[in-house]
């Protein structure tokens, strides 16, 4: 946050005292679940959740998808024809570089990651001559959002990890995107709300790792006919030869009348595998991500993957894009600019079908007059045809006429004395 000193709209610094004895006693006496532990016995927080492959995959696919979509600032034109406002300072901030250290992709990716894990994403707004010039990412775990008891307005308190300084910002100084919220002030953390599901997934992964790392099982059990003089020595020698995945299923050499009994996979181990499969779908349900996008192709077919991908755009990606667009309008444009400008993501690339389907759709639009040559070429990222060569002309099928044309002609003919 070294750039804050350059800004005339600098935040207030706030000195924070240590928690009172009553607060410390309260924290020590709080139920352990309140502090992030799940009933599975595993502590769950946003960082720990990312160690689960399903959570990591869901966050990655959503963050990268939103970050990779073109985000433009548009100027509202006459007759509904909007133009890109590439001369506005905010256009470059959104589309190219929000600050001197990040690209637009990197900024939106880390903001989406914060949204998906903490339910909130924050960025410090730097203005120049009244226009937003830079956006600097703020770690959500270091931000406290509360309503000031005196003024009744929202304030943001941010603690810098490096300088250990605490800053207080006004709402117009922070670009805040909220996820699902119950109070309209701060979004809910999906990880906190789904703590038990994530905790169970972490617990099964931990169990599996310990099972294969420490399980001294060559596929059976040993039975000794008598009493062992030194069972600890036998246990150590057995573990030395057979413990670990590299030594699994070796042939055992038995002495002193010991017997070896083969065993299959235990029922609880089979249940463990089913639990792991179910938890992948459970976590996908939290983020509304189709399982095939995170590598679970068990129920995917060639016929339904395309439709699932379209539903993913419509029901998962689109709500996040609307949150972004409206947050940009609310926080990064002033009241007068909102009447002229708006931000919009382009999702055409995600909704494209196969080549044959696209060409058939373009042909229908072209023949029925709602697509011109240039409209189609823009969708395919092709160079435009000059206007004087018919690039922007709309065609109408000559065999089709309006329903009331024949009636008008009949009335006209009768008026001229025709029978």
């Amino acid at each position: 946050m070294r750039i804050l000193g350059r800004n005339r709209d600098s935040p207030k610094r706030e000195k924070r005292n240590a928690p009172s004895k009553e607060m410390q006693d309260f924290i020590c006496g709080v139920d352990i679940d309140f502090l992030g532990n799940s009933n599975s016995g595993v502590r769950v927080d946003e960082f720990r959740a990312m160690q689960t492959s399903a959570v990591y995959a869901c966050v990655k696919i959503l963050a990268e998808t939103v970050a990779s979509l073109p985000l433009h600032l548009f100027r509202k034109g006459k007759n509904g024809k909007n133009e890109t406002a590439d001369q506005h300072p905010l256009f470059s901030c959104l589309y190219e570089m929000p600050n001197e250290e990040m690209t637009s992709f990197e900024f939106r990716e880390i903001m989406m990651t914060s949204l998906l894990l903490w339910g909130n994403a924050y960025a410090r707004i730097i203005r120049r001559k009244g226009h937003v010039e830079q956006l600097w990412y703020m770690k959500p775990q270091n931000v406290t959002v509360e309503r000031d008891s005196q003024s009744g307005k929202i304030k943001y308190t941010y603690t810098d990890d490096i300088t250990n300084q605490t800053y207080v910002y006004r709402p117009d100084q922070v670009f805040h995107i909220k996820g699902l919220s119950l109070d309209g002030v701060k979004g809910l953390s999906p990880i906190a709300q789904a703590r038990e599901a994530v905790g169970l997934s972490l617990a099964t992964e931990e169990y599996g790792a310990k099972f294969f790392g420490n399980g001294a099982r060559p596929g059976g059990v040993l039975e000794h006919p008598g009493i062992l003089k030194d069972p600890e020595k036998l246990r150590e020698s057995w573990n030395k030869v057979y413990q670990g995945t590299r030594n699994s299923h070796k042939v055992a050499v038995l002495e002193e009348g010991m017997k070896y009994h083969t065993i299959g996979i235990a029922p609880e181990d089979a249940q463990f595998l089913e639990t792991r499969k179910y938890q992948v779908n459970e976590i996908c349900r939290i983020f509304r991500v189709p399982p095939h996008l995170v590598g679970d192709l068990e129920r995917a077919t060639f016929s339904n993957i395309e439709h699932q991908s379209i539903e993913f755009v419509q029901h998962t990606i689109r709500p996040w894009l609307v949150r972004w667009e409206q947050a940009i309008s609310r926080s990064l444009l002033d009241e007068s600019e909102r009447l002229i400008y708006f931000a919009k993501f382009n999702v055409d690339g995600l909704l494209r079908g196969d080549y044959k389907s696209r060409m058939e759709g373009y042909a229908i639009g072209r023949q029925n007059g709602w697509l011109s040559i240039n409209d189609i070429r823009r969708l395919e990222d092709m160079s435009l045809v000059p206007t004087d060569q018919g690039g922007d002309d709309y065609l109408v099928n000559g065999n089709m006429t309006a329903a009331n044309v024949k009636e008008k002609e009949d009335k006209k003919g009768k008026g001229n004395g025709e029978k």
Side-chain angles (χ1 to χ4, degrees), residues 291-305:
H292 76 270
L293 290 178
V294 299
D296 184 1
L297 302 176
E298 186 175 1
R299 298 182 180 178
T301 65
F302 288 108
S303 60
N304 66 14
I305 279 185

Side-chain angles (χ1 to χ4, degrees), residues 115-394:
L115 262 175
L116 295 166
L117 294 176
W118 280 270
N120 297 272
Y122 308 94
R124 173 74 171 96
I125 301 174
I126 305 298
R127 288 184 170 87
R128 184 180 180 183
K129 297 181 179 179
H131 296 295
V132 176
E133 187 180 57
Q134 296 184 36
L135 295 170
W136 288 85
Y137 173 72
M138 300 166 65
K139 297 179 180 179
Q141 65 270 28
N142 294 352
V143 179
T144 302
V145 185
E146 55 191 351
R147 192 175 296 277
D148 190 275
S149 58
Q150 297 180 352
S151 64
K153 295 183 178 180
I154 301 297
K155 69 175 183 178
Y156 297 85
T157 306
Y158 181 72
T159 303
D160 193 308
D161 288 335
I162 300 176
T163 63
N164 204 27
Q165 292 287 340
T166 300
Y167 303 90
V168 179
Y169 299 104
R170 302 188 306 272
D172 62 322
Q173 296 175 306
V174 177
F175 177 43
H176 181 192
I177 307 175
K178 296 184 284 288
L180 181 66
S181 176
L182 294 179
D183 58 5
V185 175
K186 190 174 183 179
L188 297 173
S189 167
I191 301 301
Q193 299 303 310
R195 183 178 55 201
E196 297 300 337
V198 177
L200 181 57
S201 181
L202 287 168
T204 54
E205 286 192 2
E206 184 177 343
Y207 171 82
K210 290 182 178 179
F211 176 81
F212 289 106
N214 300 321
R217 289 182 54 181
V221 295
L222 290 171
E223 179 184 355
H224 195 278
I227 300 175
L228 291 174
K229 296 180 181 180
D230 193 353
E232 188 64 31
K233 183 178 180 180
L234 177 61
R235 183 182 296 109
E236 290 179 0
S237 63
W238 183 268
N239 288 338
K240 183 178 180 181
V241 178
Y242 301 111
Q243 188 176 36
T245 55
R246 293 184 178 181
N247 299 322
S248 296
H249 303 286
K250 279 189 174 182
V251 177
V253 179
L254 307 179
E255 298 178 285
E256 300 180 359
M258 286 190 297
K259 296 180 180 179
Y260 175 73
H261 301 277
T262 59
I263 59 174
I265 185 170
E268 59 269 19
D269 296 336
Q271 186 63 40
F272 156 74
L273 298 176
E274 292 298 323
T275 301
R276 291 215 62 189
K277 287 182 181 180
Y278 177 76
Q279 286 311 112
V280 172
N281 286 276
E282 187 79 351
I283 291 173
C284 286
R285 188 178 297 117
I286 297 169
F287 294 101
R288 286 195 300 185
V289 173
H292 76 270
L293 290 178
V294 299
D296 184 1
L297 302 176
E298 186 175 1
R299 298 182 180 178
T301 65
F302 288 108
S303 60
N304 66 14
I305 279 185
E306 182 178 353
H307 293 287
Q308 288 186 49
S309 299
I310 293 175
E311 290 179 357
F312 171 67
V313 175
Q314 295 176 339
H315 302 299
T316 303
I317 295 297
R318 184 175 177 273
W320 288 115
L321 301 184
V322 173
R323 290 182 190 275
W324 270 87
E325 292 166 355
Q326 295 188 358
I328 290 171
S329 177
R330 175 179 56 84
S331 300
L332 306 184
L333 296 173
D334 60 32
E335 188 174 353
S336 60
E337 288 179 320
R338 292 189 202 109
L339 301 175
I340 306 173
Y341 302 100
F342 67 95
K344 190 73 175 177
F345 284 91
N346 187 348
V347 297
D348 290 339
L350 294 178
L351 295 174
R352 286 181 179 178
D354 59 89
Y355 184 80
K356 181 180 178 182
S357 299
R358 296 203 311 273
M359 295 305 108
E360 291 175 349
Y362 294 153
I364 294 173
R366 177 70 170 147
Q367 293 169 9
N368 289 277
W370 68 76
L371 286 178
S372 67
I373 294 177
N374 285 340
D375 290 336
I376 298 172
R377 296 179 73 87
R378 287 189 187 97
L379 294 173
E380 291 294 321
D381 296 324
M382 300 171 68
S383 59
L384 302 183
V385 175
T387 302
D388 56 0
Q389 296 181 18
D392 293 317
D393 292 343
Y394 294 88

